[in-house]
Every structure is written in C-alpha cells, then in structure tokens.
Amino acid sequence: MSGPRAIDTVFIANRGEIALRVVRACREMGLRSVVGYSVPDADTAAVRAADTAVRIGPADGRRSYLYPPALIEAALGAGAQAVHPGYGFLSEVPEFAEICAENGLVFVGPAPGVMAELGDKVGARRMMAGIGVPVLPGTDGPVAGDRAVLAEAERIGLPLIVKAAAGGGGRGMQVVTDRDSLLSGYRAARVSAREYFGDDRVYLERYLEQVRHVEVQILADGHGNVLHLGARDCSLQRRHQKLVEETPGPALPAEVLGKLAEYAVRGAQTAGYTGAGTFEFLVVGTEVAFIETNCRIQVEHPVTEMATGVDLVREQLRIAAGEPITFQQADVEPRGAAVECRVNAEDPDRGFVPSAGRLDEFVPPGGPFVRVDTHAYPGWTVTPHYDSLLAKVITWGADRDQALDRMDRALGEFRISGAGVRTTIPLLRGLLQDPRFRAGECTTSYLDGRDGAGLVAG
C-alpha cells in the first residue's frame, strides 16, 4: 500500500480465526503477513498460513498476547510496519496503540486518544448525550463506594446493570433487580472488570428487560469520510455473550434503522474516529439508546461483508496506510439477509462448560452462500487456555427465511468430533427452530433462566 504510511508487512497480534482472516486479507492485497504465536498455538492454521510466524511467549496470555514488549519485539524483528490487533486481547487498549506509535509501527485502528475516549463507556455516553443522541438513565461517571452506589441506585431506579467502564464483549456486567443484591452485584462487577480489563471502575445504568441489541458498522478514514454499512441485530445472547447475529435486524422499522445510522455516523465524526468500528444501541419499539462503542473489528463482521460485499479488513488496512475508503455511502447497497452462528467448544447440557481435546473429525459445511471462518482442522487440539470459539458459520439468503434455512442445513452438515469435545451446534439448531426467534421477536433476555438442554434440537 502506497499511502502516506507505506505498508508492505503486517504483524498480527492475535490468534485463532481472526488471525487467519487477517492473513488472508494481506495475501489478497499483496502484503506480507507475520503472526505472533504462543507455545500451544505453534501449529495453528494461522501460523501455517502466514508468511512468517514468531513465537512470542508461553500459554499464559499475560506473557504473550497481552504482553506488549514481546509483541513489539516480534513485529520489529520481522520488519513489519503495521500491527493488526484483531479483536479481544489488546485491540482496545490505548496504551498498546501508543506503544506501537512510539516504536514507529502503525496501529490498525483509531488513534489512542479516540480509543481512550470511546473505549471508556462513561466517557462515550457523555459524548453521545452531548451531541443529542439518547442514552439510558445512569451515572455521569464511575461510581465507587457503598454509599455512592446506594444513592445512585435510588436516583436511577431498579432494575439496573452494573457495567465495567472499560473493555467490552459482555464482560464485567451484573444485573441487579432488588436492593438487597445491589452491593454484592457492585462488588462482583468490580472483581470481574479487574480480572478481564485490569480496571475495576464501574458505572450504573438502567436495565431494560425486553429490549433488542442492535449495532451499526461504520468505516471512517483520515480524509473526512465516515460511512455506515447497515445494522446488525445481536439480541440472541446468553449471559451477555452473543450467540447469533444477523443483518438486517428482523422487523426493525426503517425509521429506527435511519436513526441508528445517523447517530453512529454523528458519533464517529464527533470523536474523529478512523478505521472500522461499531456503535451499539438498545432498541424498544421505535425508541433507541446508545450504550457503547467497539473500537475494533467485531467477531460478527462477516455478516456485514456477506450483505454488502465490502471487505472490512481490507478497508481497515488501507485506512491505516492513510488511504481513503474506496467507495461512497451511495454505493453501499445491502442485499438480502445474512446470519452468523458462533460454534463454541462448550457443553450446553452442562452449563456451557468449555470442552477441550483433540479434534478427530472436523469437516465444515459448504454449498452456495455458506462461509465458515475457522482456524480448526482435524488433528488440532482445542486448548483450555483461550476462548472456546471453534468456528463462525455465516449464510446469506435472498430473505431472512432463506438465510436461516440455509444456516440450519449448514450446521446439520458440520461434523466435529473428538474425545471430550462438545459443541454448541445442537443448541444453535434448536434456536433456529424456535418459533419466537423465527418470528424475529427475541430480546436480549429471551434465554435468561433457560438451560441448554431445553433448547437443544431433537
């Protein structure tokens, strides 16, 4: 890429399917890819596919994927000019982006200051409210101390949710439905936030039980172009972890979609955002409320790619090199419907406990308009050290029913077996047959209190 910041080699500071996804984008663009890997990841598909692979440390993420000195040393040693952080790990850590810049490396993402402003959920709420975007009732900043928590809860009202001020991915959250559990929920959220993000600041926000979770994909470059690529519905969740994502959102009025797009673009413009990101909202009827921004590529980005034909990772890399987006808003014409299901190595019958082991059989589905993003293969060992995501299955259809039927067929074809390895495929197929889900009526609380066994397809 020959923009203001010439890039010919990209270091990928991540693992799994997203690392492989970036490797493939680099290859199509004629860029050299370098993957950093931990000891148990030495034989992963991303390592095999990359032009170069560099060992960065042991299994413990704090000494490998979460350890900037090892990542910077590997990137510089391999001759990289840019670092792609993927999602998770250090992808939303402003200090890592700053360290990259200090070492002459381009961080593929927004500027550190922008990431700090939007990555702090309280600050992002404050900014969006200041430009006229609705937000839920909540605290104006992090809240600390039992007395302050009790006073703010009285003002906001129950039920409420205690949320980590930093991070994302549904981590560091506790729903509080009564005053007796308020302080225990507050303390649990702080512990979780510290564990996941190294930052125990939390804030309070009104909790809505019958609500949909909808996010808007945006792209913004350094030339003043800010575009949206439609909305994704991520309402089908379990414990704030997304299971199924789709675009367009089922039964979302055009009025709501218009509001969401307008608010997301306005927020990105105000913050001076560059790169790919999402602005996330809660939707009740025709009312919407901003909740947070994800300053990175999302796990569910393939849904948008399938519907729009836009390669989001390619655009990320071009924007990072200082080049403009290759199309205009009028060129974005989503077609049909796309759905993504996350296949995890978890046992739905045993409380979704992660399962590890060697994969004796791993045969992904295929056929028209079926995409599978995965790093797994027969003979690979599912490790207990990292997240349990095995694959993402994405299908496209001329309409939602066709996309869902195609997904059910694809999941039915997926063959995964190995000693001790269980997956969420039966659960996902059960959800695809669920009448309320097929009718587009699910909210974020739909699976609350329902165990996996009761949802598995027969």
Side-chain angles (χ1 to χ4, degrees):
M1 291 178 291
S2 58
R5 300 180 291 274
I7 296 173
D8 60 44
T9 301
V10 178
F11 179 78
I12 302 162
N14 216 298
R15 64 177 301 279
E17 60 84 20
I18 187 59
L20 183 57
R21 169 74 180 88
V22 179
V23 167
R24 287 169 168 160
C26 288
R27 180 153 298 148
E28 290 185 6
M29 298 174 71
L31 303 176
R32 178 169 165 261
S33 62
V34 182
V35 167
Y37 67 91
S38 67
V39 171
D41 281 343
D43 201 30
T44 59
V47 169
R48 292 181 174 191
D51 294 303
T52 303
V54 182
R55 193 172 75 179
I56 55 173
D60 185 350
R62 294 168 297 181
R63 298 168 60 195
S64 53
Y65 298 109
L66 290 168
Y67 188 51
L71 298 169
I72 297 298
E73 180 181 358
L76 294 175
Q81 299 88 32
V83 174
H84 195 301
Y87 53 72
F89 291 127
L90 297 176
S91 62
E92 292 184 283
V93 178
E95 293 78 10
F96 180 56
E98 290 176 350
I99 293 171
C100 287
E102 290 168 0
N103 285 273
L105 294 164
V106 176
F107 180 83
V108 181
V114 174
M115 193 187 307
E117 179 181 25
L118 293 178
D120 183 290
K121 297 176 188 175
V122 177
R125 273 172 49 92
R126 190 181 300 119
M127 185 201 79
M128 295 295 276
I131 59 174
V133 176
V135 298
L136 294 173
T139 55
D140 294 330
V143 60
D146 292 358
R147 181 176 298 179
V149 169
L150 291 169
E152 288 292 349
E154 186 71 24
R155 179 181 65 83
I156 297 168
L158 295 171
L160 57 77
I161 185 167
V162 188
K163 302 174 73 171
R171 309 292 188 182
M173 296 184 184
Q174 291 287 325
V175 175
V176 175
T177 57
D178 57 74
R179 188 178 176 84
D180 292 341
S181 61
L182 176 60
L183 294 181
S184 61
Y186 158 68
R187 292 169 187 141
R190 289 190 65 185
V191 170
S192 180
R194 186 185 306 115
E195 176 185 347
Y196 285 112
F197 312 122
D199 183 343
D200 67 357
R201 293 176 305 131
V202 297
Y203 67 102
L204 309 183
E205 190 174 74
R206 174 73 56 79
Y207 178 69
L208 303 179
E209 295 186 78
Q210 299 299 322
V211 67
R212 294 171 68 173
H213 184 165
V214 183
E215 61 191 23
V216 177
Q217 176 71 59
I218 63 102
L219 278 177
D221 61 26
H223 301 266
N225 301 305
V226 181
L227 312 178
H228 71 85
L229 285 83
R232 298 186 291 253
D233 190 304
C234 308
S235 300
L236 203 56
Q237 305 176 7
R238 179 186 169 275
R239 296 179 183 171
H240 310 296
Q241 300 296 301
K242 300 168 185 173
L243 297 175
V244 180
E245 301 100 354
E246 55 183 312
T247 189
L252 278 178
E255 171 191 356
V256 171
L257 293 173
K259 283 183 187 178
L260 296 174
E262 176 193 346
Y263 293 156
V265 169
R266 190 190 307 173
Q269 289 172 331
T270 301
Y273 196 94
T274 54
T278 57
F279 283 71
E280 306 205 357
F281 302 85
L282 297 181
V283 178
V284 180
T286 59
E287 299 300 315
V288 307
F290 168 81
I291 50 172
E292 65 184 66
T293 302
N294 290 124
C295 300
R296 53 175 167 78
I297 197 78
Q298 290 277 76
V299 178
E300 58 271 22
H301 75 272
V303 171
T304 296
E305 293 183 329
M306 291 283 273
T308 63
V310 174
D311 184 332
L312 290 171
V313 176
R314 180 187 183 93
E315 293 300 324
Q316 274 190 302
L317 293 168
R318 293 187 71 264
I319 291 168
E323 299 179 6
I325 299 171
T326 57
F327 53 91
Q328 304 297 318
Q329 186 67 66
D331 300 322
V332 181
E333 298 180 358
R335 296 178 58 250
V339 181
E340 174 180 292
C341 284
R342 304 188 189 191
V343 178
N344 291 330
E346 297 174 352
D347 189 345
D349 295 333
R350 297 178 54 225
F352 295 87
V353 61
S355 62
R358 185 179 185 276
L359 294 175
D360 297 322
E361 181 182 37
F362 190 87
V363 183
F369 307 109
V370 175
R371 167 177 167 178
V372 180
D373 283 17
T374 183
H375 58 289
Y377 56 86
W380 180 68
T381 298
V382 181
T383 166
H385 302 297
Y386 309 112
D387 68 79
S388 62
L389 183 65
L390 278 181
K392 303 181 313 196
V393 181
I394 310 98
T395 58
W396 181 90
D399 55 32
R400 182 172 185 260
D401 283 341
Q402 186 180 60
L404 294 177
D405 289 343
R406 187 164 279 149
M407 177 63 72
D408 187 54
R409 188 268 297 169
L411 292 176
E413 289 181 4
F414 213 150
R415 295 289 177 263
I416 305 174
S417 64
V421 178
R422 296 289 304 276
T423 79
T424 53
I425 287 178
L427 167 72
L428 293 167
R429 296 196 70 194
L431 291 172
L432 289 172
Q433 297 167 16
D434 185 277
R436 284 193 59 188
F437 174 69
R438 293 296 295 223
E441 298 173 353
C442 288
T443 63
T444 55
S445 60
Y446 184 57
L447 297 183
D448 289 355
R450 303 179 69 186
D451 62 19
L455 295 166
V456 170

